[in-house]
């Protein structure tokens, strides 16, 4: 945003007060909606405005005679209204507290709340530029009346402002309604300027927090307070890890959002021992994520309590018994409901929820709630205003059976990948840490958003248990961060052998060993080594598969009973494209069925056709042990002992295989880790580490396995 396009509060007030307005000194009869603010707010922090548009007949901001100010919900419009009213001495007409407006509503308000002589005098001063007034909550005024009634109200404003050379009216409201008002006024030839309240800068954000932390402790321990305040601001900034221009802008929008700052202020008000709070924050590695989730949920709770509970429900619940009123207050506009309605809005899909199971109430509630959702604080110009809110909505709803179908539609149609989704989901996932199978690829893509050259996130999905009577599968899912390949995030995936997992268009650093169906159906699929997928069936209907082998020793291996090739949506069979030379050893298709060209060129046969069941069981355990190892920071292959002992050493065969590998020195323990000795692997088993992925059973391996008793 260029400085030429910004307006300070000082400049705005000077514009309204250009000809030295006469302060409003008239007496006002009892009115909830019309008042003069006679107190100053010591907690107020001046905002910055950006000029969104000027009407065609308005050459510059100084030429406008009606100023409109828009903002998303909870960005300080009410506080700004009070600031302008107090500093300029001009009254406020609050449509949220007024009966439905229509033709002559403004004139009628002034006539009914002022003495006749005062009414005539004030009206004349409005027209001559000697007085001004603020009209607030246009959005709520619009909701309360009909379109015709609202436009008639605007006509009343236009008529009173038509002869004025100054600014008789400043209009405020949420973004959607302000846009409607702007278009209507411009069509009527009004000289107008549309401003938008911008997020606070970092320094203004800190000033905002300071003014809202009222504790005497802050004044006494200034240095400790400043340290913990800055830590919190920086911790939230740390959540936007890749500080590209886009992510940096997202951070500024988030940290500069008033509800976010209020939540931080609440945290500091509730914890006066700043040293202890700082240590507590530092001790929790993921506190930046927890803090953000807490902030998000505070905003959602506030939206329900301050808007729906206070403004909408009293009318809907009028005349209902106390028991039903209490039930509705609990059930209506929950966090999940808000998230779901926001998601459906992005999909342009109508939603009617049976919130209370009372047909009459639910029908009326569903009719009216849409207008409130349109002005939700998570929205800006009708869209979810940042990726943090968006990620929270997805993570919150993905496990809800009633809502998840729409979540997947949103993920496939709208969502642009962001790593925030992974971290927020990891923090709020169910206590059993069970992940929906269809959500697995989206989680991995989210984590991979942090990838950079030389550092790649990876995923492994390995069967833990198979119930042969029901075909129920339990798999362990692990994700490894790009910058820490030994630090993993573990989950459980429950499926059936008949289930399908559909992978995305970017497949790399994946290890899957589960007897289910894998679907490769994206239009173009980029397969980058290392990849190992062992499953029951692979169905490939992609238009093109691009093979990209990173190093000479890397491999891409698909091992299954059947590799089924089908036509893509375009009606063509998949093609294979090599990025560089790819050998048959580097790309292997291990399957029992016949393959068509060009896949037939890479088909490999397993070397264990005539192997006994006993040897095969031991081999699979050994293979699974070795494939669990990952590159250590020093280049060695390593894995935490606990992981291998719990996963492999918990069965009789697994324990015997693990002990034999240790006895032969193929594996060796050090501190909390097991390491692979690749020289011993070659001498004892006659294979390189990557040969393990190729399902090779040579004579040395057979001898080693036969000796395990």
């Amino acid at each position: 945003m260029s400085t030429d396009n910004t307006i300070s509060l000082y400049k705005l007030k000077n514009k309204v007060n250009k000809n030295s307005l006469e302060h409003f000194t008239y007496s006002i009869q009892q009115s909830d909606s019309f008042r003069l603010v006679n107190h100053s707010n010591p907690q107020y922090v001046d905002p910055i405005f950006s000029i969104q548009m000027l009407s065609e007949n308005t050459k510059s901001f100084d030429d406008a005679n009606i100023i409109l100010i828009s903002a998303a919900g909870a960005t300080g419009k009410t506080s700004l209204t009070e600031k302008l009213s107090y500093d300029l001495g001009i009254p406020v007409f609050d449509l949220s507290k007024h009966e439905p407006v229509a033709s002559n509503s403004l004139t009628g308000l002034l006539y009914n709340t002022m003495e006749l002589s005062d009414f005539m005098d004030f009206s004349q001063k409005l027209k001559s530029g000697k007085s001004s007034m603020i009209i607030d909550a246009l959005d709520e005024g619009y909701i309360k009346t009909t379109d015709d009634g609202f436009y008639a109200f605007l006509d009343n404003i236009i008529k009173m402002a038509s002869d004025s050379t100054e600014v008789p009216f400043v209009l405020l409201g949420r973004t959607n309604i302000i846009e409607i008002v702007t278009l209507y006024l411009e069509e009527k030839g009004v000289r107008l300027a549309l401003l938008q309240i911008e997020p606070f800068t970092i320094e203004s954000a800190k000033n905002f927090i300071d003014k809202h932390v009222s504790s005497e402790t802050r004044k006494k321990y200034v240095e400790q307070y400043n340290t913990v305040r800055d830590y919190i601001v920086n911790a939230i900034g740390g959540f936007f890890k890749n500080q590209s221009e886009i992510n940096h802008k997202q951070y500024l929008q988030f940290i500069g959002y008033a509800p976010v700052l209020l939540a931080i202020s609440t945290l500091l008000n509730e914890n006066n021992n700043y040293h202890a709070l700082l240590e507590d924050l530092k001790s929790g590695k993921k506190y930046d994520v927890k803090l953000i989730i807490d902030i998000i949920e505070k905003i959602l709770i506030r939206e329900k309590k301050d808007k729906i509970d206070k403004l909408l429900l009293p009318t809907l619940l009028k005349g209902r018994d106390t028991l039903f009123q209490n039930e509705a207050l609990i059930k209506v506009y929950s966090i999940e409901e808000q998230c779901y309605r926001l998601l459906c809005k992005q999909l342009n899909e109508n939603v009617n929820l049976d919130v209370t199971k009372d047909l009459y109430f639910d029908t009326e509630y569903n009719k009216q709630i849409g207008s409130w959702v349109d002005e939700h604080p998570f929205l800006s110009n009708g869209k979810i205003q940042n990726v943090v809110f968006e990620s929270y909505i997805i993570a919150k709803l993905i496990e809800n059976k009633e809502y998840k179908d729409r979540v997947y539609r949103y993920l496939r149609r709208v969502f642009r990948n962001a790593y925030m989704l992974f971290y927020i989901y990891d923090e709020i996932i169910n206590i059993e840490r069970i992940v929906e199978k269809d959500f697995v690829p989206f989680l991995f893509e989210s984590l991979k958003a942090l990838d950079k050259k030389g550092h790649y996130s990876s995923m492994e999905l390995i069967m833990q248990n198979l119930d042969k009577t029901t075909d129920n599968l339990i798999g362990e899912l692990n994700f490894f961060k790009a910058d820490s390949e030994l630090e993993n995030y573990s989950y459980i995936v429950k499926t059936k052998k008949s289930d399908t997992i559909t992978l995305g268009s970017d497949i790399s650093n994946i290890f899957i060993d589960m007897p289910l169906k894998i679907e490769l159906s994206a239009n173009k699929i980029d397969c980058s080594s290392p990849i190992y997928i062992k499953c029951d069936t692979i169905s490939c209907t992609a238009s093109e598969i691009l093979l990209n082998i990173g190093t000479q020793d890397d491999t891409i291996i698909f091992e299954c009973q059947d590799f089924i090739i089908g036509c893509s949506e375009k009606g063509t069979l998949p093609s294979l494209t090599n990025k560089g030379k790819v050998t048959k050893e580097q790309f292997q298709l291990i399957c029992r069925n016949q393959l068509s060209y060009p896949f037939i060129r890479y088909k490999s046969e397993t070397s264990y056709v005539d192997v006994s069941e006993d040897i095969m069981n031991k081999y699979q355990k050994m293979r699974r042990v070795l494939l669990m190892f990952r590159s250590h920071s020093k280049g060695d292959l390593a894995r935490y002992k606990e992981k291998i002992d719990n996963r492999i050493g918990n069965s009789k065969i697994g324990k015997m295989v693990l002990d034999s590998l240790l006895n032969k020195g193929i594996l060796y323990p050090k501190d909390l880790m097991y390491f692979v000795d690749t020289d011993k692997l070659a001498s004892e088993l006659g294979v390189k580490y990557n040969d393990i992925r190729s399902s090779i059973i040579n004579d040395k391996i057979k001898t080693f396995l036969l000796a395990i008793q």
Side-chain angles (χ1 to χ4, degrees):
M1 181 172 54
S2 68
T3 53
D4 293 336
N5 197 42
T6 59
I7 299 292
S8 66
L9 179 62
Y10 177 80
K11 185 171 182 178
L12 172 62
K13 290 193 294 186
N14 275 356
K15 163 64 178 165
V16 178
N17 196 30
K18 188 174 180 180
N19 284 341
S20 301
L21 296 178
E22 295 183 14
H23 278 223
F24 187 90
T25 56
Y26 309 107
S27 60
I28 300 174
Q29 298 177 22
Q30 181 63 36
S31 172
D32 293 330
S33 57
F34 189 59
R35 64 195 174 103
L36 180 72
V37 177
N38 56 12
H39 61 275
S40 176
N41 179 6
Q43 294 180 316
Y44 190 73
V45 177
D46 290 0
I48 293 292
F49 308 92
S50 62
I51 300 176
Q52 296 298 298
M53 71 158 285
L54 301 171
S55 55
E56 287 188 6
N57 58 351
T58 307
K59 296 178 181 178
S60 69
F61 174 69
D62 290 331
D63 194 36
N65 75 333
I66 287 186
I67 295 174
L68 298 101
I69 302 176
S70 78
T75 48
K77 293 189 301 299
T78 300
S79 297
L80 171 63
T81 298
E82 293 177 348
K83 177 72 173 174
L84 291 173
S85 176
Y86 177 78
D87 286 358
L88 298 176
I90 59 178
V92 179
F93 180 14
D94 187 346
L95 301 191
S96 70
K97 298 177 180 177
H98 194 71
E99 61 191 29
V101 294
S103 179
N104 294 316
S105 290
L106 178 58
T107 306
L109 170 82
L110 299 177
Y111 180 82
N112 291 326
T113 57
M114 302 173 68
E115 296 292 336
L116 180 58
S117 58
D118 290 346
F119 160 67
M120 295 178 66
D121 189 44
F122 181 61
S123 298
Q124 188 58 43
K125 286 179 178 177
L126 281 174
K127 293 178 180 180
S128 64
K130 293 294 184 180
S131 289
S132 183
M133 68 181 297
I134 302 163
I135 301 178
D136 190 21
L138 285 175
D139 43 293
E140 295 184 42
Y142 180 80
I143 289 169
K144 287 181 179 180
T145 189
T146 63
D147 286 354
D148 289 342
F150 188 72
Y151 291 137
F153 169 69
L154 294 180
D155 288 337
N156 195 188
I157 294 173
I158 294 168
K159 184 178 180 181
M160 294 186 72
S162 59
D163 296 331
S164 178
T165 57
E166 304 306 328
V167 183
F169 297 107
V170 179
L171 312 180
L172 295 97
R174 295 196 185 187
T175 305
N176 286 356
I177 303 306
I178 284 289
E179 288 178 354
I180 293 172
V181 173
T182 300
L183 290 172
Y184 187 79
L185 295 182
E186 188 176 29
E187 286 178 359
K188 297 292 185 177
V190 174
R191 301 193 315 278
L192 63 87
L194 171 60
L195 308 183
Q196 177 175 284
I197 301 174
E198 291 295 322
F200 290 112
T201 64
I202 298 297
E203 288 308 310
S204 294
K206 291 179 181 180
N207 188 21
F208 184 100
I209 295 169
D210 293 346
K211 288 190 173 186
H212 285 80
V213 177
S214 55
S215 166
E216 288 296 320
T217 311
R218 180 176 78 82
K219 300 174 183 177
K220 189 175 181 181
Y221 299 102
V222 175
E223 187 174 343
Q224 289 184 3
Y225 165 79
N226 288 340
T227 300
V228 72
R229 178 204 62 196
D230 292 350
Y231 181 89
I232 292 170
V233 171
N234 292 333
I236 292 174
F239 187 58
F240 297 78
K241 294 179 187 290
N242 286 350
Q243 286 295 308
S244 64
E245 184 60 34
I246 293 174
N247 283 329
H248 185 62
K249 184 178 179 181
Q250 290 276 358
Y251 166 56
L252 294 178
Q253 287 176 339
F254 191 78
I255 197 65
Y257 189 40
V260 171
L261 301 175
L262 285 171
I264 295 172
S265 304
T266 300
L267 175 67
L268 291 167
N269 276 320
E270 292 173 350
N271 295 271
N272 291 331
N273 187 335
Y274 301 129
H275 177 74
L277 176 60
L278 182 61
E279 292 303 311
D280 185 39
L281 293 173
K282 287 182 176 179
S283 66
K285 292 182 180 179
K286 296 187 292 184
Y287 200 90
D288 50 349
V289 185
K290 292 178 181 177
L291 181 61
I292 281 177
I293 290 170
D294 183 57
I295 289 167
I296 290 170
E297 292 181 348
K298 276 183 167 62
I299 295 169
L300 292 167
I301 291 168
R302 176 182 181 271
E303 187 70 3
K304 169 180 166 56
K305 288 185 175 179
D306 290 1
K307 296 293 176 67
I308 306 306
D309 290 0
K310 289 183 178 179
L311 300 176
L312 176 61
L313 287 185
T315 302
L316 292 178
L317 293 173
K318 190 175 182 180
R320 303 301 291 262
D321 62 79
T322 303
L323 185 64
F324 182 77
Q325 288 186 16
N326 291 336
E327 178 190 355
L329 282 169
I330 293 169
K331 291 182 176 180
V332 162
Y333 221 54
S334 65
I335 285 177
E336 278 202 345
E337 182 193 331
Q338 291 182 60
C339 290
Y340 185 57
R341 290 186 181 278
L342 289 166
L343 188 87
C344 292
K345 180 176 175 59
Q346 303 309 298
L347 290 169
N348 294 316
E349 295 180 5
N350 293 326
V351 54
N352 288 296
L353 296 176
D354 298 327
V355 183
T356 65
K357 309 303 180 186
D358 180 291
L359 181 60
Y360 178 79
F361 175 87
D362 289 346
T363 300
E364 290 302 310
Y365 172 68
N366 280 300
K367 280 182 185 177
Q368 297 191 40
I369 196 63
S371 300
W372 295 85
V373 174
D374 288 344
E375 302 300 336
H376 196 279
F378 279 16
L379 299 178
S380 178
N381 296 319
K383 302 294 182 184
I384 298 172
Q385 65 171 282
N386 65 60
V387 74
V388 183
F389 293 154
E390 182 183 35
S391 296
Y392 176 86
I393 289 169
I394 294 168
K396 189 70 177 176
L397 299 179
I398 194 64
E399 293 177 2
N400 187 305
K401 293 180 180 179
E402 185 180 353
Y403 301 156
K404 69 179 183 180
D405 286 347
R406 274 185 164 128
V407 179
Y408 283 116
R409 281 208 291 280
Y410 184 85
L411 285 165
R412 295 181 181 110
R413 294 181 191 174
V414 181
F415 185 64
R416 292 187 175 182
N417 194 30
Y419 67 86
M420 288 87 165
L421 174 61
F422 180 88
Y423 287 102
I424 291 175
Y425 176 79
D426 182 72
E427 187 61 37
I428 67 176
I429 188 176
N430 56 78
I431 194 168
E432 297 88 1
R433 295 184 70 77
I434 298 173
V435 179
E436 273 266 331
K437 68 173 181 65
D438 293 329
F439 193 50
V440 171
F442 293 104
L443 268 184
F444 187 40
E445 288 174 10
S446 172
L447 185 61
K448 284 177 70 64
L450 288 173
D451 284 2
K452 53 188 177 181
K453 190 172 183 179
H455 295 280
Y456 303 103
S457 302
S458 55
M459 179 191 101
E460 62 179 35
L461 176 59
I462 300 174
M463 185 182 73
Q464 271 191 331
N465 185 51
L466 168 61
D467 186 337
K468 293 183 179 179
T469 61
T470 62
D471 275 354
N472 288 336
L473 284 169
I474 296 178
E476 181 179 348
L477 174 67
N478 285 283
F479 293 108
F480 298 84
K481 291 167 58 180
D483 57 352
S484 179
E485 291 199 344
L486 292 177
E487 181 183 348
N488 68 309
Y489 293 78
S490 294
Y491 309 91
I492 296 296
V493 177
K494 293 184 176 182
T495 68
K496 288 183 176 291
K497 285 188 69 175
S498 57
D499 283 341
T500 299
I501 291 181
T502 302
L503 301 182
S505 59
D506 182 5
I507 304 174
S508 63
N509 292 81
I510 283 181
F511 177 85
I512 296 176
D513 188 354
M514 280 188 78
L516 40 65
K517 183 178 180 180
I518 300 292
E519 186 174 70
L520 310 176
S521 58
N523 182 31
K524 292 184 179 181
I525 297 178
D526 189 346
C527 291
S528 301
S529 62
I531 299 170
Y532 176 74
I533 296 176
K534 182 186 179 187
C535 60
D536 186 69
T537 304
I538 295 178
S539 172
C540 179
T541 57
S543 295
E544 179 185 0
I545 294 181
L546 173 63
L547 301 176
N548 183 11
I549 306 296
T551 67
Q552 187 175 356
D553 292 331
D554 276 348
T555 56
I556 298 174
I557 298 174
F558 294 140
E559 181 177 353
C560 54
Q561 295 293 314
D562 295 294
F563 190 91
I564 301 171
I565 300 168
C567 290
S568 68
E569 290 183 357
K570 296 181 178 180
T572 60
L573 290 172
S575 63
L576 278 177
T577 305
N578 299 345
K579 191 174 182 181
K581 185 179 179 181
V582 177
T583 67
K584 190 174 179 179
E585 288 71 33
Q586 291 173 320
F587 177 46
Q588 299 179 40
L589 292 172
I590 303 171
C591 59
R592 68 186 180 186
N593 63 305
Q594 290 299 313
L595 297 175
S596 60
Y597 182 85
F599 294 92
I600 187 64
R601 292 161 45 192
Y602 299 99
K603 183 176 179 181
S604 299
E605 301 295 336
T606 62
S607 58
Y608 46 77
V609 177
D610 298 322
V611 173
S612 69
E613 185 178 354
D614 177 60
I615 293 294
M616 194 64 218
N617 288 337
K618 293 174 183 175
Y619 174 74
Q620 294 290 13
K621 287 291 184 182
M622 182 194 76
R623 187 165 173 266
R624 187 165 292 177
V625 171
L626 294 173
L627 289 175
M628 288 175 65
F629 283 79
R630 313 190 63 76
S631 293
H632 189 253
S633 58
K634 297 180 180 179
D636 299 322
L637 291 162
R639 195 66 186 263
Y640 284 108
K641 290 180 185 177
E642 182 183 8
K643 284 286 181 186
I644 291 179
D645 290 343
N646 289 343
R647 190 186 295 170
I648 304 299
N650 61 357
S651 68
K652 184 178 179 180
I653 294 177
K655 181 72 165 60
M656 289 192 301
V657 170
L658 183 55
D659 288 343
S660 295
L661 290 169
L662 289 165
N663 290 335
K664 291 291 185 179
I666 298 169
L667 302 185
Y668 64 93
K670 184 179 179 181
D671 299 327
L672 299 175
M673 315 286 288
Y674 285 132
F675 289 84
V676 175
D677 186 326
T678 52
D679 292 335
K680 284 283 188 180
L681 183 71
S683 63
E684 295 291 337
L685 301 182
V687 292
K688 295 186 296 184
Y689 182 75
N690 280 338
D691 292 333
I692 299 298
R693 288 195 174 95
S694 302
S695 301
I696 291 174
I697 301 182
N698 58 27
D699 290 340
K700 281 194 171 185
I701 290 175
K702 289 179 184 178
T703 301
F704 172 78
L705 295 173
L706 282 168
I708 299 174
Q709 299 295 332

